[in-house]
Amino acid sequence: MDLGLTDRTYLVTGATRGLGLATARALTADGARVVLTGRTAESAAAAAAELGERAVGVAADNAGPQTPERLIATARERFGRLDGILISVGGPPPGRTTDLTDDQWRDGFETVFLGAVRLARAVAAELGEGGVIGFVLSGSVYEPIGGLTVSNGLRPGLAGFAKSLADEVGPRGIRVVGVLPGRIATDRMTQLDAVSGDPEANRARNCATIPLGRYGEPDEFGRTAAFLLSPAASYLTGVMVPVDGGARRGF
């Protein structure tokens, strides 16, 4: 199946590892070009080098007010166009309601929520017909996840923003999609399993709740996200797509 990605250009934030890198890998493998971000210039450059000449790395913080302008300018200067963005950010710190400080909530809001909103607004202003804005969210959009209180508080609001944005930019031919990872075998999931004190037992318990009986692989998420960003998904907008092995019980 030809996804129509050849020579299209995407921004992918938080793409030096995990879900962002997996998506950038899938996009470039199918002929797209990618401007990816990481926390440091070194990590961003290393990820881009892995992906080859179709990728360029930029050190950027999603929460930075100047980040959208810098990334858009890089895409246009390096590749001459911009077709979309996937907004991915590392998960906020785990913790129960009573464990979390105001500063942790504030930092989570700046990175997970406001930074994503700022990026989406800026990119929406630059895109033409056929453009797409994607958000990496979480299954917590639909159901709270134990021990991830900050995510539970912020991700549903960001999904609501994405839905509102889809309504507003749809008449211009721009799509907005959300991708909801379940338990994917990333460094983040390793960290969350370790919090339990017995990572192997925790993973086994989690796998028992997943119909496919296992954690997903990052590349499985990346291929799904690449499809949603591609012209092959041209009639999908305003949707939240779970990539969770069937863990979500609702329709």
Side-chain angles (χ1 to χ4, degrees):
M1 181 178 182
D2 182 3
L3 299 182
L5 285 168
T6 300
D7 292 336
R8 295 175 72 85
T9 299
Y10 297 90
L11 308 177
V12 183
T13 71
T16 59
R17 59 181 183 172
L19 304 180
L21 178 58
T23 302
R25 185 182 293 118
L27 289 168
T28 55
D30 228 63
R33 300 173 295 194
V34 169
V35 176
L36 61 86
T37 75
R39 294 181 183 274
T40 67
E42 292 77 13
S43 64
E50 175 191 331
L51 300 179
E53 62 182 10
R54 292 183 173 273
V56 59
V58 177
D61 180 354
N62 278 21
Q66 306 307 316
T67 293
E69 181 181 347
R70 288 178 55 223
L71 297 184
I72 291 167
T74 300
R76 296 212 181 279
E77 291 167 6
R78 182 66 180 265
F79 299 122
R81 61 187 289 173
L82 178 62
D83 298 284
I85 185 171
L86 182 70
I87 302 170
S88 177
V89 61
R96 300 174 65 84
T97 303
T98 54
D99 300 329
L100 297 161
T101 66
D102 285 358
D103 285 342
Q104 288 175 308
W105 275 103
R106 190 175 295 110
D107 290 346
F109 175 78
E110 291 284 342
T111 56
V112 173
F113 191 91
L114 185 58
V117 168
R118 190 183 289 121
L119 280 161
R121 287 189 316 212
V123 170
E126 294 286 323
L127 293 176
E129 185 171 359
V132 59
I133 298 167
F135 295 87
V136 178
L137 297 172
S138 165
S140 62
V141 164
Y142 290 116
E143 184 175 1
I145 299 172
L148 296 182
T149 304
V150 176
S151 180
N152 295 339
L154 297 177
R155 303 285 193 188
L158 193 53
F161 167 78
K163 187 67 172 176
S164 296
L165 184 63
D167 292 342
E168 294 176 14
V169 301
R172 293 169 45 203
I174 299 169
R175 299 184 299 111
V176 181
V177 296
V179 199
L180 314 183
R183 296 189 180 277
I184 309 294
T186 62
D187 292 344
R188 165 73 168 174
M189 194 55 57
T190 298
Q191 175 198 20
L192 295 177
D193 281 339
V195 169
S196 70
D198 189 341
E200 292 186 9
N202 194 64
R203 180 164 181 157
R205 284 193 298 270
N206 289 332
C207 287
T209 69
I210 301 169
L212 289 183
R214 61 178 177 84
Y215 284 8
E217 294 298 325
D219 287 348
E220 292 178 302
F221 176 92
R223 289 191 294 269
T224 302
F227 165 73
L228 291 171
L229 293 171
S230 78
S234 58
Y235 203 54
L236 290 178
T237 193
V239 296
M240 300 289 135
V241 179
V243 185
D244 63 2
R248 173 169 155 71
R249 295 296 186 261
F251 293 107

